[in-house]
Amino acid sequence: MARLELRNASKYYGKTVAVKDIDLVVEDNEFFCIFGPPSSGKTTILRLLLGLVAPDEGEITIGGAAVGEQGPKERNLAMVFQNLALFPHMTAGQNLAFPLVERKLEKAAITARVAEVAETLHITPLLDKLPAHLSGGERQRVAIGRALVRDPAAFLMDEPIAALDARLREEMRVELKRLQRELHHTIVYVTHDQEEAMSIADRIAVMEAGEIRQVGTPAEIYNLPNSRYVAELIGAPPMNFVDGTLAEGGRFEGGEVPLSIVLDGAEGAGPAALAVRPEDIGIDAAGTGNGVEAAIYEVEPLGAFTIVDVSLGEQVLKVQAPGQPQFTLGEGVRLALDPDRCHLFHGETGDLIRSAR
Amino acid sequence: MASISLTGLTKRFGDLTAVASLDLEIGDKEFVALLGPSGCGKTTTMNMIAGIETPSEGQILFDGRDVRLVPPNRRKVGFVFQNYAIFTHLSVRENLAFGLKVRNLPRAEVEQRVGAMAALMRLEDRLDWPTAKLSVNELQKVAIGRSAITEPEIFLLDEPLSNLDAAFRAFMRTELKHLQHQFQQTMVYVTHDQIEAMSLADRIAVMDLGVLQQYGSPIEVYNEPRNVFVANFMGSPSMNLVPCALTGGDGAYALDFGEGGSAPVDHDDLKRRCRAAREPALIFGARPEDLDLAPSGYTGPGIEATVTFVEPIGPRTIVHLAAGERRMKIAKGKHYGIELGAQVKAVLPPGKCHLFDAGTGEALGHA
């Protein structure tokens, strides 16, 4: 398996920027996620790597060698799409064998390789079935298997499990991770689902409008987002933001919200946004603790935890409380905010002023 | 006032039974979610309530009155679909006002109600925009507002949030719930997303293959699933469902987890469930957040397993375990550190264990 690199790569379609100045290294044996909203350039990066389009600027290397004008076949990368294109008239086994038949391998070698891959993916019992007789998850496995038989230099996956239902997605992402670990593959994986990216990736690149905003491990991206943009995209329920003003000495005052808090290490003065994750806010009964007074707006019980929506001035904040606590609508509570769990972003640019500690 | 009562409601399309003999009482001002995977009959049920589909059998009553002969436009129901139906040649204001204008309401009242709805949906600064310029999120707000503004007695929503992005979905969930608390309409909400159903509904009707599986409050359905289907469908990550065999008797039971070892049953709640078993082949159930790893030196009952995968997803860390072919997940807090390959024991949590008959899938010994 191979290390992949994009250096200063840009791609334009007419005046539209698809991706701009992409510097990205995917290490050998790394599970690397490209995450971002629709049209942020995720798929363009895959297409550049695959050789379906050539960069207008910059360079791409695979396994240390510049690929230049090489076409998709010479690059030996395997692609798995969301819409798995299995041949409906061929059995699962014939679908798996197809890339090898196309390469005119010997029959015995093909049979052995298909058996080996089927074993790895736990699909041996399915080999004689037609795609129409397979479940969505089984079809996805066959599609991945078909990419796997070729022994490619790296895998590129474009939302490969997005079309499956929630339960199956949960299973498949564990399965993909297991495969990657056992087979030591390099995988570049595109998704718009932050939970999927967090769960599966060794590292994540967060994209915005054709550019990379942050690269890091899931924990780094979640705990230390480098901009309001990244903070907004990662985490469910989403992070809370309170717009206000930062004064000298690190004191933040909410604008439409009666909230005042001192953040050590927050320098400068001007418009700012305080950001805190729902699970980092505590709820105390009214009259206890020394937190900010708020009122219960709505309660969303989710079983393992409860999302408590509280109104604070003109704003509604989301608090994620463990377990199944009971509240009455309109009830007064106090919110416990730990300055060390709060981030501060610039009010206009969204740049980071100060991280949580 | 608008309660909905469904009795023996059945819908067949040729040989296919989409909804089978459904009995469901939806109270006045109640928020009920029809929840299930695709093909479970939830949308067909809603379409019959709306009058878009005619039942093959059974009865639909609104406030005790049979609505069989009442056409859709006279049932006083409001509709919001996944694919927001709005007039693209009209502005936001004209879209919001449409339902009131066709009812010939005085102009001043129309203006006042449009203003109030725009404020509620935070669309004030979009009122004079052509809808073509709106984002997907804003379009769905207009669609919901356009239907809500006529204040129908019954509000039917079919997956209204599923095209929206995650953060906006979380926001709209809260706002929809708040809207319902303000307008006090009877809401029927179709979704395949258990999180939406849990967070929004007063009661959830869980459906599968046209059959009602369970009807109860979110917490009831979550804490006391009536069968394996409901147990597996509610919650994320899903409940651990581990095959086991019941051994022993006379109150001295044990659950045999094969390569996971045999766990003596030592608390009363679980004993009671064991006593209800007719066959030894059972499925043991426990939510990932209720299972815990035994501290070192623990000698009590549990399932022996190996750590196979650790998944950090934001506020939680999911630890995956394997005991031979049996798989389990345990939900721990942020930054939970554990080695892959570690040998551990999952403790059976007192009062939070479920048992199901492996043959029928029915829950055993529910209170």
Side-chain angles (χ1 to χ4, degrees):
Chain A
M1 285 278 146
R3 181 176 195 262
L4 310 174
E5 187 170 358
L6 289 100
R7 275 190 223 123
N8 265 325
S10 299
K11 177 72 196 169
Y12 309 97
Y13 294 106
K15 281 187 181 171
T16 310
V17 178
V19 294
K20 190 161 182 284
D21 292 333
I22 300 291
D23 273 312
L24 194 66
V25 177
V26 179
E27 298 293 347
D28 193 13
N29 302 339
E30 188 173 29
F31 205 129
F32 193 93
C33 270
I34 302 176
F35 164 77
S39 319
S40 56
K42 307 186 293 290
T43 300
T44 303
I45 294 183
L46 290 193
R47 293 166 65 86
L48 286 169
L49 281 169
L50 198 62
L52 293 177
V53 294
D56 294 312
E57 290 153 20
E59 194 182 41
I60 295 166
T61 69
I62 296 176
V67 289
E69 303 286 298
Q70 276 181 13
K73 275 210 165 154
E74 296 154 90
R75 296 190 187 187
N76 192 29
L77 301 173
M79 183 83 179
V80 182
F81 297 96
Q82 178 178 348
N83 301 318
L84 12 139
L86 291 181
F87 298 110
H89 60 290
M90 290 186 186
T91 63
Q94 288 164 338
N95 266 288
L96 282 185
F98 184 78
L100 304 179
V101 173
E102 216 188 8
R103 284 171 187 224
K104 302 196 168 58
L105 259 68
E106 281 182 33
K107 206 169 172 192
I110 294 178
T111 313
R113 181 67 186 147
V114 166
E116 185 187 0
V117 167
E119 191 63 27
T120 316
L121 287 163
H122 307 312
I123 53 173
T124 308
L126 308 178
L127 288 179
D128 293 330
K129 293 191 177 177
L130 289 170
H133 297 141
L134 301 177
S135 71
E138 290 168 344
R139 280 203 289 267
Q140 191 62 48
R141 276 171 209 233
V142 175
I144 290 168
R146 204 174 55 179
L148 204 65
V149 287
R150 285 170 36 198
D151 200 15
F155 282 96
L156 309 181
M157 301 193 176
D158 194 355
E159 309 251 13
I161 59 176
L164 306 180
D165 70 41
R167 196 59 79 221
L168 205 49
R169 275 206 311 274
E170 261 175 38
E171 277 171 31
M172 281 304 290
R173 70 188 192 210
V174 174
E175 189 66 17
L176 277 172
K177 189 73 188 175
R178 174 187 72 84
L179 270 179
Q180 188 261 345
R181 231 185 18 244
E182 285 177 6
L183 304 174
H184 304 291
H185 291 315
T186 305
I187 297 183
V188 185
Y189 187 102
V190 160
T191 181
H192 71 280
D193 178 336
Q194 60 92 23
E195 185 176 298
E196 200 170 292
M198 293 280 294
S199 138
I200 214 169
D202 294 320
R203 284 190 305 153
I204 301 171
V206 183
M207 307 278 303
E208 179 185 17
E211 295 185 55
I212 294 177
R213 288 305 299 261
Q214 186 169 3
V215 178
T217 65
E220 283 165 1
I221 300 272
Y222 188 82
N223 296 324
L224 302 170
N226 68 359
S227 58
R228 176 166 178 161
Y229 174 80
V230 173
E232 278 176 350
L233 280 187
I234 300 280
M239 204 182 250
N240 295 294
F241 294 90
V242 175
D243 291 318
T245 317
L246 177 65
E248 295 297 340
R251 176 161 293 279
F252 172 85
E253 299 277 352
E256 295 181 330
V257 165
L259 176 68
S260 176
I261 188 169
V262 175
L263 302 173
D264 292 337
E267 289 175 10
L274 183 81
V276 56
R277 295 224 175 261
E279 71 271 20
D280 289 332
I281 304 179
I283 295 192
D284 297 321
T288 63
N290 43 14
V292 192
E293 284 185 26
I296 301 291
Y297 180 77
E298 287 296 338
V299 180
E300 303 174 56
L302 295 183
F305 51 86
T306 302
I307 299 174
V308 188
D309 302 285
V310 292
S311 52
L312 183 64
E314 292 295 299
Q315 218 181 323
V316 175
L317 302 184
K318 288 187 183 295
V319 179
Q320 180 170 322
Q324 301 171 353
Q326 302 288 321
F327 294 100
T328 317
L329 296 189
E331 179 189 342
V333 290
R334 281 204 171 152
L335 302 182
L337 279 175
D338 176 357
D340 284 351
R341 306 298 323 151
C342 293
H343 309 257
L344 199 66
F345 298 104
H346 192 280
E348 280 145 17
T349 63
D351 292 343
L352 184 69
I353 298 176
R354 173 211 185 262
S355 287
R357 300 295 166 91
Chain B
M1 280 288 288
S3 65
I4 304 171
S5 170
L6 311 178
T7 333
L9 195 64
T10 301
K11 179 68 187 178
R12 281 184 288 269
F13 296 103
D15 288 342
L16 177 89
T17 304
V19 178
S21 194
L22 175 65
D23 294 327
L24 201 66
E25 296 290 332
I26 298 170
D28 181 36
K29 297 171 191 165
E30 194 172 21
F31 197 137
V32 167
L34 304 179
L35 172 70
S38 50
C40 76
K42 55 190 189 298
T43 296
T44 306
T45 302
M46 172 168 287
N47 288 345
M48 288 191 281
I49 296 173
I52 299 171
E53 297 277 5
T54 312
S56 307
E57 279 166 39
Q59 211 175 29
I60 301 174
L61 308 180
F62 286 1
D63 284 333
R65 280 176 295 112
D66 193 330
V67 294
R68 183 177 3 200
L69 301 176
V70 182
N73 59 347
R74 299 194 44 207
R75 289 196 183 189
K76 292 184 181 164
V77 296
F79 245 123
V80 179
F81 300 99
Q82 177 177 353
N83 300 317
Y84 29 83
I86 56 169
F87 296 114
T88 49
H89 62 289
L90 300 181
S91 69
V92 172
R93 184 189 304 279
E94 289 161 336
N95 265 286
L96 289 178
F98 185 83
L100 303 178
K101 281 190 176 156
V102 297
R103 286 172 175 74
N104 291 319
L105 290 181
R107 203 160 139 187
E109 187 184 342
V110 172
E111 271 175 30
Q112 183 264 324
R113 280 166 70 169
V114 167
M117 183 53 68
L120 190 71
M121 304 305 280
R122 299 184 200 177
L123 286 166
E124 297 109 309
D125 55 349
R126 296 283 187 273
L127 272 175
D128 294 309
W129 282 36
T131 48
K133 285 176 73 180
L134 299 180
S135 70
V136 174
N137 293 348
E138 289 164 342
L139 284 171
Q140 193 59 301
K141 284 207 271 187
V142 175
I144 291 170
R146 208 181 75 121
S147 200
I149 202 167
T150 62
E151 296 178 13
E153 291 177 349
I154 296 172
F155 208 1
L156 306 178
L157 300 105
D158 191 358
E159 307 259 9
L161 306 185
S162 55
N163 282 344
L164 309 180
D165 67 55
F168 189 70
R169 214 157 51 220
F171 165 76
M172 277 306 289
R173 247 174 26 210
T174 315
E175 288 308 302
L176 263 182
K177 194 163 182 175
H178 199 65
L179 193 75
Q180 195 256 353
H181 281 146
Q182 285 192 328
F183 285 135
Q184 309 245 310
Q185 288 146 327
T186 306
M187 287 234 200
V188 184
Y189 189 100
V190 161
T191 181
H192 68 280
D193 181 343
Q194 55 94 18
I195 294 182
E196 260 173 37
M198 289 283 294
S199 79
L200 283 169
D202 297 319
R203 281 196 287 175
I204 302 176
V206 187
M207 299 181 70
D208 186 36
L209 302 170
V211 178
L212 180 66
Q213 303 292 316
Q214 186 165 1
Y215 189 36
S217 74
I219 292 301
E220 276 166 21
V221 170
Y222 188 85
N223 290 351
E224 296 195 3
R226 264 202 357 223
N227 57 35
V228 167
F229 177 83
V230 177
N232 184 49
F233 200 79
M234 307 306 297
S236 174
S238 56
M239 185 187 276
N240 293 294
L241 294 168
V242 191
C244 62
L246 181 66
T247 59
D250 290 336
Y253 296 110
L255 297 174
D256 184 354
F257 291 97
E259 280 151 295
S262 180
V265 171
D266 71 345
H267 36 267
D268 293 344
D269 178 60
L270 194 53
K271 269 184 199 156
R272 184 169 58 77
R273 284 163 208 265
C274 289
R275 212 168 288 131
R278 299 223 172 114
E279 299 286 335
L282 302 181
I283 294 170
F284 169 81
R287 296 255 170 227
E289 69 271 19
D290 292 335
L291 272 185
D292 205 352
L293 295 177
S296 59
Y298 172 87
T299 54
I303 309 172
E304 285 155 30
T306 311
V307 176
T308 55
F309 182 44
V310 179
E311 228 186 337
I313 31 182
R316 295 193 289 174
T317 307
I318 311 297
V319 181
H320 294 254
L321 306 178
E325 290 293 301
R326 295 171 171 83
R327 299 273 183 277
M328 285 173 289
K329 290 166 288 208
I330 298 187
K332 304 294 286 182
K334 230 183 234 188
H335 311 307
Y336 184 78
I338 190 161
E339 296 275 315
L340 290 187
Q343 299 295 314
V344 296
K345 196 173 199 180
V347 179
L348 275 42
K352 295 190 168 167
C353 295
H354 305 257
L355 276 182
F356 303 92
D357 184 304
T360 64
E362 295 299 315
L364 297 175
H366 260 174

